[in-house]
Amino acid sequence: MSILFRYVAREVMVTSLLAMLALAGMFTFFDFIAELSDAHSATYTPLVASLFVAMNLPGRLYELMPLAVLIGGLFAWSRLSLGSEFSVMRSAGLATSRLVLWMVMLGVGIGAVTMVFGEYVTPYAERAAQQMKVRATSGVVAQEFPTGLWAKDGRTFINIRELHPDASLVDVRLYEFDAEFNLKLMRRAESANWQDGHWMLHQVTQTIVGENATQSTQQADQPWVSAVTPDLLSVLMVVPERMAISALHAYIQHLEENLQDSKRYRIAFWGKLAFPLSAIVMLMLALVFAFHPPRHGGTGGRLLTGIMLGLGFYLSSRVAGQVALLQDWPVALPALLPILLFGISAFAALWWIERR
């Protein structure tokens, strides 16, 4: 690994980190302003809202990685170009193919760190943030364990073994206690779904615990009124785009084994696999702007162009995912299509510059 490569990599990494900090600060401020609209209760205060926004910061950093790398690369190459360092590199025989190889190597490293971050940090921070907000806004305490989701609603402890995205529940167990915390009633339902403002339990086994004996009865359906609503459960779930790859794979297998639609999760799975490649594409786009003649100015215009390209990449990825849900597209296409289009455009621009 040459000294020149380490120098260029350091320049790009430092400016990318500064761009990430600036973008994270701006988006965190916007998130906090949006969250203040909910911070009007005695338990969900602006301080708690600030903590919620801070706990969501890892997910925001993960999403901003391509844009930060593109802006950082633009700044780094602009500095090298305006200082005539890039011209000296080229005059010394540094080929475009070598620069491309350097950017690919650096992009692979950034992508690997991004993948590890998205696998082991983002999902857990997202879930912890949502659980904290639910506890502060609704008073329901909920936590996920290997035995399923546990929640407390008043004196009732709720255990949900499976929670599906369509708000249907599987294997629901309710434990009701009296004021002295003595168990007085147990209910177990094979499934439950939301109907007309309440839950409808199906295939219910109810056990009343008396002082001297217990009595069990069975019912086909039984209504259940609770503060635990589908809206509350939905925020306890991490959205597919921020789930870990291993968790996505396991859930896709579960859905397919039960003959359920897994397309949204398969699209998210391929998106998570392809997302680290965006660092390579963004560095290639930034490299295109390095061939601007030195001291000709235009740094602000190039930065604006880079931001527009980064936003275009982000929006095209999201739009492609939504269109793929509506159309019969291959699930890998929305993840790979923006990367291929922007990557081919970057390589075509570099080829044109080299030929010129």
Side-chain angles (χ1 to χ4, degrees), residues 11-319:
E11 289 292 316
V12 173
M13 291 296 296
V14 169
T15 51
S16 297
L17 180 59
L18 293 175
M20 176 67 80
L21 292 175
L23 290 170
M26 180 179 65
F27 279 90
T28 299
F29 175 75
F30 292 151
D31 290 341
F32 176 70
I33 295 300
E35 203 62 33
L36 284 179
S37 61
D38 295 331
H40 49 70
S41 64
T43 53
Y44 195 63
T45 62
L47 180 61
V48 178
S50 301
L51 182 59
F52 172 76
V53 172
M55 294 173 70
N56 273 313
L57 185 57
R60 182 64 71 187
L61 294 176
Y62 179 82
E63 292 178 346
L64 291 173
M65 183 275 294
L67 184 57
V69 169
L70 177 56
I71 295 176
L74 287 172
F75 267 117
W77 287 118
S78 294
R79 287 177 57 186
L80 294 175
S81 179
L82 292 173
S84 299
E85 294 175 87
F86 183 71
S87 297
V88 173
M89 295 178 194
R90 296 287 289 169
S91 300
L94 182 60
T96 303
S97 58
R98 178 61 63 88
L99 286 170
V100 170
L101 178 60
W102 286 357
M103 293 302 98
V104 171
M105 293 171 57
L106 184 57
V108 169
I110 295 174
V113 173
T114 301
M115 178 172 283
V116 172
F117 190 79
E119 184 75 7
Y120 296 105
V121 178
T122 300
Y124 302 101
E126 179 88 1
R127 186 178 296 277
Q130 298 293 355
Q131 290 172 347
M132 183 199 68
K133 183 175 181 179
V134 166
R135 182 170 184 174
T137 55
S138 66
V140 175
V141 182
Q143 181 67 47
E144 188 173 12
F145 293 97
T147 54
L149 177 71
W150 285 86
K152 179 178 178 295
D153 180 15
R155 298 194 185 113
T156 301
F157 289 83
I158 305 161
N159 178 218
I160 302 170
R161 295 302 175 97
E162 293 185 21
L163 170 62
H164 292 175
D166 61 355
S168 61
L169 313 178
V170 176
D171 197 357
V172 182
R173 308 179 187 201
L174 309 176
Y175 304 92
E176 298 182 18
F177 293 80
D178 58 20
E180 286 73 33
F181 292 100
N182 298 311
L183 182 63
K184 65 176 184 178
L185 178 66
M186 295 184 296
R187 282 185 285 181
R188 179 175 180 178
E190 292 185 3
S191 61
N193 63 292
W194 186 259
Q195 297 180 2
D196 301 325
H198 66 273
W199 293 101
M200 183 60 69
L201 305 176
H202 306 292
Q203 303 300 319
V204 183
T205 300
Q206 178 173 289
T207 302
I208 300 175
V209 180
E211 293 183 0
N212 301 316
T214 60
Q215 180 181 0
S216 296
T217 58
Q218 293 185 343
Q219 293 180 314
D221 299 299
Q222 186 181 91
W224 169 41
V225 179
S226 174
V228 179
T229 64
D231 290 338
L232 186 148
L233 292 175
S234 66
V235 300
L236 290 175
M237 298 177 64
V238 177
V239 295
E241 291 74 20
R242 292 190 178 181
M243 290 175 65
I245 295 176
S246 56
L248 278 170
H249 179 67
Y251 194 63
I252 289 170
Q253 286 186 323
H254 168 77
L255 292 176
E256 292 179 346
E257 288 172 359
N258 290 274
L259 303 179
Q260 296 180 343
D261 184 19
S262 63
K263 188 173 183 179
R264 181 187 177 191
Y265 290 87
R266 286 185 287 132
I267 290 174
F269 177 79
W270 277 98
K272 294 280 288 188
L273 288 178
F275 189 74
L277 298 177
S278 60
I280 301 175
V281 176
M282 295 298 104
L283 289 174
M284 290 295 101
L285 288 173
L287 180 60
V288 173
F289 292 88
F291 292 87
H292 187 275
R295 296 188 179 91
H296 278 203
T299 303
R302 282 184 288 177
L303 179 59
L304 179 60
T305 302
I307 293 175
M308 296 304 295
L309 287 172
L311 291 176
F313 178 83
Y314 175 80
L315 293 176
S316 62
S317 301
R318 289 301 180 95
V319 170

Side-chain angles (χ1 to χ4, degrees), residues 323-340:
V323 173
L325 284 174
L326 301 175
Q327 305 295 329
D328 192 20
W329 285 10
V331 292
L333 186 60
L336 298 177
L337 184 60
I339 291 176
L340 289 174

